[in-house]
Amino acid sequence: MQYNPGWNSSSMNLLHVRAVGPRDSLHYVWSSIGAPAVLLVATQSPSSALRVNWTQLLSPSPAGAIWIDPPDSVAYSTAVVFTKLFEFSEAKPSGELFYPTYDLSEFSWDSLNHTLNHTALTAELSGVPATDPGGGFSNGSLAFRVTAYEASGRAGRLPSLLHTADSSQLEFVLAGVAPRGNSSRFALEVATVEEAGAVRRLRSERSIDDEYTPTIFEVLSLVAESQNGSSTLGFLQWKETAYGSRSPRREDGIQCRAQGLQAANWTLPVSSIVQAYFGESLGSTCTVSALNVSFGGEEGQVYQERRYLSWSVLLGFGQPPEDTFSPLVISITAVALGTPLAMLLLGSCVVLLAQRRRYSEYEPIN
């Protein structure tokens, strides 16, 4: 993990996470320069390196300021940008009432160098609006918590997402922000950037394995596939739940919904690392898609009461991890199905033995 490589000031935030394999390497570049974003690059060289021209990156024309060396080692690259936070309420009978939008590109962000943990491979990016006329953020903040992984496993906190060494987890946290309505709900706008030859699709999968996230049976994956669908290049994956507590429990769950993936017919807000890497292709050959992830529903009052919301999403390369039946679930299923069968077999044996014993006590009648 490198903080602001090649730059000695902490006035800007750029975190480079590099994972090295025997024949390849993966690069995650997190930044709050402009709208908060992450650049994901997979290369076919274990010695590939991130290069940053800081003078150009901080200029009005940052195209070409970020690149991977050697350039021909890049196998796949994409970006995810967190653009806006919406607040709305269910105003019946007129429908939904939207309050002025929080544009994340206009936030003021703390230095993540203070939260960088090289041992746990974690960092936190926290910010508030540069101007906040309504005072909603006077006692609160919005944060993105990043966790990188060295091996496969499962997160210890709910929703206990399954991860691999090719993935990182992002936790979106809204803490202490005062809602502007009595029944306010929030939605986070997430945009993705794909180069020519790749397309994003939203998948929904249901599972009966309910051991790690009780009552949550649906997993959503925003996958990047090649145009012919022959391979999966990258993904975002999350479970259909958020939580209203710093130490989440089952009863703290908040409903989470993805409101459809659409081609973005608007220009991306200022996000320097995306413009710096993709350059002129961002407005021509690249495909920009976006979706809104909303939090609330029947459990919408949870945030009103606790003023806390956390949502976890996994980002990575290749196929998203798939939950399989755990030993506990297999054991429970075996007991549930095997016990009646064992009792049936045992009962049949008892009946046969009883019949044989009864007839053996009498002599046959001529």
Side-chain angles (χ1 to χ4, degrees):
M1 301 179 75
Q2 296 175 293
Y3 177 68
N4 288 352
W7 184 257
N8 294 324
S9 172
S10 60
S11 60
M12 300 294 171
N13 285 317
L14 190 148
L15 175 65
H16 175 218
V17 182
R18 179 169 172 256
V20 181
R23 294 179 300 276
D24 54 11
S25 57
L26 308 175
H27 300 265
Y28 293 84
V29 185
W30 305 86
S31 177
S32 63
I33 303 174
V38 56
L39 175 67
L40 298 89
V41 184
T43 73
Q44 296 175 331
S45 169
S47 59
S48 62
L50 176 74
R51 305 299 185 195
V52 181
N53 183 329
W54 282 94
T55 302
Q56 188 175 354
L57 178 62
L58 301 178
S59 72
S61 302
I66 294 179
W67 71 97
I68 297 294
D69 191 23
D72 58 0
S73 68
V74 175
Y76 170 67
S77 56
T78 184
V80 181
V81 188
F82 302 94
T83 51
K84 297 176 183 177
L85 179 69
F86 299 103
E87 182 181 350
F88 60 98
S89 61
E90 299 283 354
K92 298 179 180 179
S94 58
E96 295 178 342
L97 171 65
F98 279 82
Y99 298 96
T101 302
Y102 292 113
D103 190 338
L104 301 189
S105 66
E106 298 177 357
F107 270 45
S108 175
W109 301 95
D110 296 336
S111 171
L112 61 77
N113 192 36
H114 304 308
T115 64
L116 188 59
N117 187 325
H118 289 274
T119 302
L121 300 179
T122 58
E124 180 175 327
L125 185 65
S126 179
V128 296
T131 57
D132 187 19
F137 279 80
S138 58
N139 295 313
S141 65
L142 181 152
F144 295 97
R145 295 174 181 167
V146 179
T147 304
Y149 298 109
E150 292 182 309
S152 299
R154 189 180 293 274
R157 287 162 45 93
L158 289 176
S160 303
L161 294 176
L162 183 67
H163 63 258
T164 68
D166 295 343
S167 60
S168 295
Q169 180 171 292
L170 177 72
E171 184 180 3
F172 166 71
V173 178
L174 200 63
V177 178
R180 290 172 283 186
N182 295 327
S183 57
S184 284
R185 295 164 56 187
F186 292 93
L188 178 66
E189 185 178 71
V190 182
T192 62
V193 179
E194 294 294 335
E195 291 184 307
V199 63
R200 286 276 178 177
R201 291 187 174 90
L202 184 63
R203 295 178 182 171
S204 175
E205 297 179 358
R206 300 187 67 84
S207 170
I208 64 172
D209 189 355
D210 199 29
E211 176 187 353
Y212 299 103
T213 314
T215 74
I216 306 302
F217 299 99
E218 188 164 9
V219 178
L220 297 174
S221 300
L222 183 59
V223 298
E225 299 177 340
S226 56
Q227 288 283 9
N228 57 14
S230 61
S231 61
T232 301
L233 305 172
F235 65 88
L236 280 76
Q237 185 184 65
W238 65 94
K239 292 190 176 182
E240 225 184 18
T241 185
Y243 292 94
S245 172
R246 297 180 187 274
S247 301
R249 300 167 298 173
R250 173 179 173 179
E251 54 267 30
D252 301 321
I254 299 175
Q255 191 175 48
C256 168
R257 294 178 178 174
Q259 300 177 348
L261 179 67
Q262 298 181 350
N265 55 5
W266 37 261
T267 57
L268 278 174
V270 177
S271 180
S272 292
I273 66 165
V274 176
Q275 296 171 339
Y277 181 81
F278 291 100
E280 300 300 327
S281 63
L282 188 61
S284 55
T285 59
C286 288
T287 302
V288 181
S289 305
L291 60 77
N292 292 337
V293 181
S294 64
F295 312 100
E298 296 178 359
E299 309 90 342
Q301 297 301 317
V302 174
Y303 183 81
Q304 301 286 336
E305 299 170 357
R306 305 184 185 181
R307 302 285 177 90
Y308 190 87
L309 168 69
S310 68
W311 171 64
S312 298
V313 57
L314 196 71
L315 304 91
F317 299 89
Q319 286 280 1
E322 293 185 6
D323 265 321
T324 57
F325 291 116
S326 67
L328 176 61
V329 172
I330 293 174
S331 301
I332 293 174
T333 305
V335 171
L337 297 179
T339 301
L341 181 60
M343 292 179 66
L344 179 61
L345 292 174
L346 181 61
S348 301
C349 292
V350 170
V351 170
L352 290 174
L353 289 174
Q355 288 180 340
R356 180 173 298 179
R357 180 178 302 172
R358 184 177 61 193
Y359 286 110
S360 64
E361 293 176 354
Y362 298 93
E363 293 292 335
I365 300 176
N366 188 351

